[in-house]
Amino acid sequence: MRRIGIWIAVGGLLLGTAACGGGSGGGPGSGGTPKAASLSVGAVAEPANLDFTSTEGAAIPQALLVNVYEGLVKLDQNGKIVPLLAEKWDVSGDRKTYTFTLRPGVKFSSGAPFTADDVVFSLDRVRTDWKLKIKAQLDVVDKVEKKDDTTAVVTLKRPSNGFLYAMATRLGAMFSRTGVANLPNKPVGTGPYVLGAWRRGDSIRLDANPAYWGTKPALSSVTLKYFKDATAMNNALLTGGIDVISSVQAPESLQQFADPNRFQVIEGTTNGEVVLSMNNGRPPFDDKSVRQAVRHAIDHKALLDTAWAGRGQLIGSMTPPTDPWYEDRTGDYPYDPAKARQLLGGKTYTVKMRIPNLPYAVASAQVVKSQLAQVGITADIEPLEFPARWLDQVFTKGDYDLSIINHVEPRDMGIFADKSYYFRYDNPEFGKLLAAADEGTEQEQTDALKQAAKLLSDDAAADWLFLFPNLIVAKKGVTGLPQNAIAESFDFTALAKQ
């Protein structure tokens, strides 16, 4: 989903659906953790395959990025870009040339050495082999060259504020020149974990990489166990079947885990904007007044309280508060059913609301349906299996009127600049603002992106229901869990079990 969070990941388009924090770090022997310790993490959206270069959705990078595949840089818990496979980097005075100094002695899990040749190969592949729309974020790259085995030079066509940040996402993942023959099933990376086993429809097990270049994982394995039902996942934690719920899918059930002698609850923030998507490319939502009516018809606080037990944050835009250009836009379209009916001009509509069969989307859709009915819009809800059917029908074919999805990828407002993206939003002025932001000074970037977020809101390109919370429940004694989920990965590198 490009960023769709759908993330999947979450449980985000999936969450939906990041990184370490909230606990002690994880080298061998951390807290006395035995090397044989393993951990089982419950999640919602299983990857369709293991190739995040050609398959949309957040579930794949959630499992593999940082853990199996590493980049030259990564995001820390505060959203800061920090070194990973690159020890350091230098930027030229004109901001167009990045010289990366690579860590020596790094090897892929296949045993092949990681060198500047692999940097050239990996970044060139984004242009030639990647299938995802997000690859356009690296269109700014002019050329990638090897200076020597531990030095790679990236030259940009123009200065870009977004380049290094994009390198901290899946776009910057480093691949072996001899390890891409079977990406959907056999990932080959430099990370602390390797693929141990994948039981389709059930789980993915990652095993510690014995040849890892950095601090060895404290755990011998981490298993991502996938559940289609929130109650089943909760019961698995209560009965000891799993150790962690990576993203709580029924916030009202948290009282089950109130015993501090057995469980810990971690609550933080994410990049996941839960979006009420409107198809700008066909009636009735090709009419701006109809889209504006929808935004006035939604009581966002009531929706958050009802659908997600009040957990999360109202934002009113495609920008989370962790981004420096965030502005609270929740006041742009106050709840006003009378105003909504006025904008509709007495007309009534019946629309198709095709949603992923994920708990947050199903719960939110019921509230949206009820509130839209009060202003004359009948929304017929059709849950679609996620990720396959939702990605095919809604994301790829654009065959929908309304949808609800958690866009979890970081700094993803730019998806609205692509008129072929499933929103079908088309406003050239928005693209101009993004271009100015990317090329300008830090202050010019912030100012332009604030304007871009305001333009999206004014156009009612979508409605932003709420910012998805990072809600994790774990057994007592599990450490290294992420306080915030602001990257694409669920970073296992700091996890340990006492």
Side-chain angles (χ1 to χ4, degrees):
M1 325 327 28
R2 161 202 174 85
R3 304 122 113 103
I4 267 178
I6 271 183
W7 244 232
I8 287 187
V10 243
L13 271 199
L14 326 15
L15 312 203
T17 266
C20 56
S24 64
S30 262
T33 303
K35 189 68 179 72
S38 61
L39 200 71
S40 183
V41 179
V44 173
E46 180 185 7
N49 62 60
L50 302 180
D51 181 9
F52 57 58
T53 75
S54 63
T55 306
E56 296 284 0
I60 312 174
Q62 179 194 38
L64 301 185
L65 190 61
V66 176
N67 301 314
V68 173
Y69 292 110
E70 295 179 306
L72 301 182
V73 297
K74 76 170 188 175
L75 295 178
D76 70 7
Q77 267 288 284
N78 299 311
K80 181 182 177 182
I81 300 170
V82 297
L84 192 50
L85 291 178
E87 290 183 327
K88 65 176 183 177
W89 58 92
D90 297 305
V91 185
S92 62
D94 63 2
R95 298 170 52 214
K96 292 170 61 176
T97 303
Y98 287 70
T99 302
F100 294 94
T101 301
L102 311 181
R103 297 184 189 276
V106 175
K107 291 186 178 181
F108 289 96
S109 57
S110 63
F114 167 69
T115 71
D117 288 313
D118 300 294
V119 178
V120 176
F121 172 75
S122 299
L123 296 184
D124 282 349
R125 278 193 83 247
V126 175
R127 181 182 67 256
T128 60
D129 290 70
W130 281 56
K131 307 301 182 186
L132 311 189
K133 290 180 180 295
I134 57 169
K135 73 176 189 175
Q137 294 179 33
L138 291 187
D139 284 351
V140 70
V141 174
D142 182 32
K143 58 184 177 180
V144 187
E145 299 171 294
K146 170 187 175 180
K147 182 177 179 181
D148 54 49
D149 279 352
T150 59
T151 311
V153 181
V154 180
T155 304
L156 307 184
K157 299 172 185 176
R158 54 173 175 76
S160 170
N161 291 308
F163 164 69
L164 199 59
Y165 198 92
M167 289 290 289
T169 71
R170 71 180 88 173
L171 290 169
M174 293 291 111
F175 294 87
S176 168
R177 288 164 286 158
T178 58
V180 296
N182 190 11
L183 291 179
N185 302 293
K186 189 177 180 181
V188 176
T190 61
Y193 288 93
V194 298
L195 178 65
W198 180 15
R199 297 176 58 194
R200 293 174 188 266
D202 180 77
S203 60
I204 292 175
R205 191 187 79 237
L206 301 181
D207 294 337
N209 178 1
Y212 184 53
W213 61 268
T215 301
K216 302 299 188 292
L219 302 169
S220 61
S221 67
V222 177
T223 298
L224 277 164
K225 173 75 173 175
Y226 296 99
F227 295 86
K228 294 187 180 298
D229 178 75
T231 299
M233 184 157 59
N234 288 347
N235 288 339
L237 181 58
L238 290 167
T239 58
I242 59 175
D243 301 292
V244 179
I245 293 176
S246 64
S247 181
V248 172
Q249 298 301 298
E252 69 280 1
S253 68
L254 282 174
Q255 69 263 18
Q256 297 178 84
F257 308 105
D259 183 354
N261 294 313
R262 294 186 63 198
F263 304 108
Q264 55 180 314
V265 177
I266 293 175
E267 183 168 4
T269 191
T270 74
N271 289 310
E273 304 99 347
V274 178
V275 179
L276 175 62
S277 313
M278 293 181 265
N279 192 335
N280 288 230
R282 72 185 193 189
F285 299 117
D286 57 350
D287 184 337
K288 178 178 174 179
S289 64
V290 177
R291 300 195 304 269
Q292 291 177 318
V294 167
R295 296 201 66 188
H296 279 300
I298 304 298
D299 183 339
H300 295 84
K301 184 178 186 308
L303 181 145
L304 183 60
D305 290 343
T306 303
W308 221 239
R311 306 280 184 156
Q313 181 176 349
L314 303 182
I315 49 175
S317 73
M318 197 67 182
T319 304
T322 46
D323 284 346
W325 39 85
Y326 170 75
E327 287 184 314
D328 181 354
R329 307 217 65 87
T330 55
D332 288 0
Y333 289 87
Y335 176 54
D336 190 342
K339 178 67 172 178
R341 286 189 287 267
Q342 178 186 345
L343 286 163
L344 293 175
K347 295 180 181 178
T348 61
Y349 299 97
T350 297
V351 298
K352 179 164 53 178
M353 181 156 50
R354 311 187 82 174
I355 61 170
N357 61 341
L358 297 172
Y360 72 89
V362 173
S364 297
Q366 297 296 333
V367 181
V368 169
K369 176 183 175 72
S370 174
Q371 294 183 345
L372 291 184
Q374 303 303 310
V375 302
I377 299 176
T378 300
D380 294 330
I381 300 173
E382 182 184 357
L384 301 176
E385 184 272 328
F386 188 91
R389 284 202 65 215
W390 188 91
L391 284 173
D392 177 54
Q393 297 296 316
V394 176
F395 186 76
T396 301
K397 295 178 179 175
D399 184 12
Y400 80 105
D401 298 315
L402 294 172
S403 190
I404 296 174
I405 198 73
N406 183 7
H407 284 258
V408 301
E409 291 186 359
R411 299 189 179 180
D412 55 356
M413 184 165 54
I415 57 181
F416 283 91
D418 181 356
K419 64 183 179 182
S420 69
Y421 201 70
Y422 84 106
F423 299 123
R424 303 295 195 261
Y425 175 69
D426 184 11
N427 187 333
E429 183 60 29
F430 180 75
K432 292 177 182 177
L433 287 169
L434 293 189
D438 193 40
E439 201 167 345
T441 64
E442 184 174 333
Q443 186 59 52
E444 288 169 340
Q445 178 189 33
T446 296
D447 292 344
L449 290 178
K450 284 181 178 180
Q451 293 177 54
K454 182 179 186 303
L455 179 59
L456 284 184
S457 180
D458 291 346
D459 280 350
D463 187 48
W464 295 272
L465 299 180
F466 60 96
L467 186 74
F468 204 84
N470 186 43
L471 278 178
I472 295 175
V473 182
K475 290 180 181 177
K476 183 180 178 181
V478 176
T479 61
L481 292 164
Q483 180 73 33
N484 297 317
I486 55 176
E488 292 183 283
S489 167
F490 192 118
D491 188 342
F492 298 150
T493 58
L495 291 181
K497 190 177 180 181
Q498 297 176 344

